[in-house]
Amino acid sequence: MYSVDTTGEAQDQIDALPYEALLSFAEAFTVLEVVPWNGRPINPAKPDGAVRVLDFARLGLITYLIVESERKVDVLKVQWLG
């Protein structure tokens, strides 16, 4: 299990999510806690890169950094396009 840090700007972005996005975001958050490597690399040229993105609710995107040595995920940005 990984710990997930959502402080600062990312937390503000999460707090601003609309109601219809919250369930899907919660499901994506669980993915980050359990299998964060399932997200796709932000840079396709570096498939093993630790900066990754994960879609949620078809209109949202979480950008995050995996710190494997600490079993930690730092959420960098949460975007909602809806």
Side-chain angles (χ1 to χ4, degrees):
M1 192 96 159
Y2 291 76
S3 65
V4 181
D5 184 12
T6 59
T7 58
E9 183 181 343
Q11 186 60 54
D12 292 341
Q13 294 163 342
I14 294 165
D15 292 343
L17 287 173
Y19 177 78
E20 64 267 18
L22 294 177
L23 179 59
S24 293
F25 178 79
E27 291 169 352
F29 194 89
T30 299
V31 170
L32 296 181
E33 291 177 320
V34 179
V35 286
W37 291 101
N38 281 5
R40 68 181 187 280
I42 197 164
N43 181 353
K46 294 185 177 185
D48 294 333
V51 178
R52 303 183 88 75
V53 293
L54 184 66
D55 300 331
F56 68 98
R58 296 187 197 139
L59 293 172
L61 189 67
I62 304 168
T63 304
Y64 59 97
L65 169 68
I66 302 170
V67 184
E68 188 62 42
S69 63
E70 298 177 29
R71 304 266 313 159
K72 180 174 123 178
V73 173
D74 288 326
V75 176
L76 306 173
K77 185 187 291 188
V78 176
Q79 296 170 288
W80 178 252
L81 307 173

